[in-house]
Amino acid sequence: MLGAVQLGLLAACVVLFVPMGMAGWHLSRNKVLFFSGALFITLAVGVHLTPYFPSVSDFVTSVSSSSSGDGVLLVDDNDRSSCVSFLHDIDWEVKPSMDFDPLVHKNSLNYNKSWSWRRSSSVESCEFQRLKRHHVSDLLNGSWVMVAGDSQARFFTMALLGLVLDSERMESVRESLFKRHSNYHVVVAEMGMKLDFIWAPYTTNLTDLVMEFKENHVYPDLLVMGSGLWHMLHINNASEYGVELRVLRSSVASLLPISPEFGSVSVRSPHLFWLGMPTLVNSMLNTQEKKEKMTDLVTVEYEREVERSNILRKFGGPFQLLDMGSLSWNCGNKCTDDGMHYDLVVYEAAVHILLNALLIESNQKL
């Protein structure tokens, strides 16, 4: 580090040798004295101000560590929060299965899908991981997890349970979880986690659920919510959907760190995630009503209301987005049979994004 002592020695050399050099150029004595005095005063002031500024070497190091030659941001280990913006940088590989026959096999099950985080310096420096069961057990140990919403939330719940339960138990879970329009509750005793799926297809249902938390003074540790598809199909009014989202945002504010009801008592805030709507493939929707009401134009209007409501963290809101729209779009229409519900692997990617986001929020690395 270039400090005050080194700068002092440099200043002394400048003050000593520069006037000598100037004298060698046959300048008058008065000019030499003037320049040497000006140099001495300037360097003396600079040396005394040095402690109030970062050292030169520190400055150079900070600049070189913040960017590389190709302009890509390099993430510092001490500040992984910037990694959140790269969580959805995922690439998909979708290939026909070995026995694929295009004349016979037309559904998504006849394609093999895999995903991985994009190979770039920014993403690789974040060290995202596809978590194993024991990792999830460590991360969610003793937690109360709640997922509330429509069928998208139900698939997300299935993907999450697939990480913590064995295949035999998952068979029984699949039957119970997919009972039409019903709630589901399970306790994973070996990791002390309890999980609730709440059937709440409308945004107003989600607001009612939040108000129950407030009344009972009991909150989940991890809360995943999402809505929009049912409203689009059965009400089909984007501006009304936006109003309901703003009401939900206001009600969720009561769950955040300091609650006025408890005076100065700090209330532990749950981790909040918003399950975005998937990409809708209109031509594949399985009813005429869906094709007429759930058009690309209407979908854009609904997505715009999500942004305007400021419910998402990137717009100043409480929820971190799980972007099912981008995940399903990038996987493509070979990953869905009905243009709305996607193969489980898409929801599994969303689960891993959530788990890595939790690691970043809690400043942990596995």
Side-chain angles (χ1 to χ4, degrees), residues 22-309:
M22 295 170 66
W25 285 94
H26 307 292
L27 294 177
S28 67
R29 185 179 64 178
N30 288 338
K31 288 181 179 180
V32 171
L33 290 174
F34 172 79
F35 282 116
S36 63
L39 279 170
F40 179 81
I41 293 171
T42 302
L43 293 171
V45 171
V47 169
H48 282 85
L49 290 179
T50 297
Y52 299 97
F53 295 94
S55 67
V56 175
S57 60
D58 284 349
F59 175 76
V60 173
T61 302
S62 65
V63 171
S64 62
S65 65
S66 65
S67 62
S68 62
D70 58 2
V72 178
L73 178 68
L74 299 181
V75 181
D76 194 307
D77 285 341
N78 296 324
D79 185 17
R80 297 183 68 233
S81 60
S82 57
C83 288
V84 171
S85 61
F86 302 120
L87 279 168
H88 289 84
D89 287 4
I90 283 177
D91 291 326
W92 290 89
E93 185 174 15
V94 181
K95 294 182 177 181
S97 57
M98 295 294 291
D99 58 349
F100 177 78
D101 183 348
L103 299 178
V104 178
H105 303 123
K106 295 184 178 181
N107 62 37
S108 66
L109 296 178
N110 293 286
Y111 291 86
N112 298 321
K113 301 105 181 170
S114 61
W115 64 272
S116 61
W117 272 287
R118 191 161 299 150
R119 295 181 62 85
S120 70
S121 57
S122 300
V123 173
E124 289 175 356
S125 64
C126 291
E127 299 180 355
F128 298 138
Q129 301 178 60
R130 297 183 68 156
L131 276 63
K132 304 297 184 182
R133 184 175 301 173
H134 65 278
H135 291 146
V136 182
S137 179
D138 290 340
L139 186 60
L140 299 180
N141 183 41
S143 298
W144 175 22
V145 178
M146 180 174 288
V147 184
D150 52 25
S151 55
Q152 300 294 317
R154 200 184 294 274
F155 276 99
F156 180 87
T157 304
M158 174 67 73
L160 176 57
L161 288 174
L163 271 179
V164 299
L165 299 177
D166 57 41
S167 57
E168 183 177 344
R169 192 171 179 188
M170 279 301 297
E171 287 301 319
S172 61
V173 166
R174 189 172 284 104
E175 288 185 22
S176 302
L177 180 59
F178 278 88
K179 287 181 179 177
R180 187 171 175 81
H181 303 170
S182 62
N183 299 338
Y184 178 76
H185 172 78
V186 64
V187 174
V188 185
E190 54 269 31
M191 58 184 291
M193 182 190 83
K194 65 175 182 177
L195 182 145
D196 288 305
F197 167 76
I198 305 297
W199 173 252
Y202 293 108
T203 312
T204 51
N205 301 140
L206 300 178
T207 302
D208 292 342
L209 184 61
V210 170
M211 297 310 295
E212 287 182 22
F213 296 151
K214 187 175 181 180
E215 292 173 4
N216 298 328
H217 300 169
V218 179
Y219 312 93
D221 300 292
L222 171 60
L223 179 60
V224 181
M225 288 183 160
S227 69
L229 294 178
W230 270 57
H231 197 286
M232 192 186 302
L233 178 60
H234 299 291
I235 299 177
N236 204 248
N237 187 318
S239 60
E240 182 179 325
Y241 175 63
V243 171
E244 293 178 1
L245 285 173
R246 285 184 277 275
V247 173
L248 174 61
R249 182 187 187 278
S250 298
S251 64
V252 170
S254 64
L255 300 180
L256 300 180
I258 301 296
S259 174
E261 287 190 11
F262 299 98
S264 60
V265 178
S266 176
V267 179
R268 185 175 64 174
S269 174
H271 297 281
L272 302 171
F273 290 86
W274 184 260
L275 196 63
M277 289 186 290
T279 298
L280 299 178
V281 185
N282 188 268
S283 60
M284 298 178 69
L285 297 178
N286 54 18
T287 70
Q288 188 60 34
E289 182 184 15
K290 290 178 181 178
K291 291 180 179 179
E292 292 174 358
K293 292 183 176 180
M294 308 177 84
T295 64
D296 293 343
L297 179 61
V298 172
T299 301
V300 169
E301 291 176 352
Y302 269 70
E303 290 174 345
R304 188 179 294 124
E305 289 300 327
V306 174
E307 295 182 5
R308 289 174 176 171
S309 70

Side-chain angles (χ1 to χ4, degrees), residues 320-337:
Q320 185 161 316
L321 176 65
L322 297 174
D323 193 354
M324 294 305 303
S326 69
L327 291 175
S328 53
W329 169 267
N330 290 327
C331 193
N333 58 12
K334 298 293 191 301
C335 299
T336 178
D337 286 332

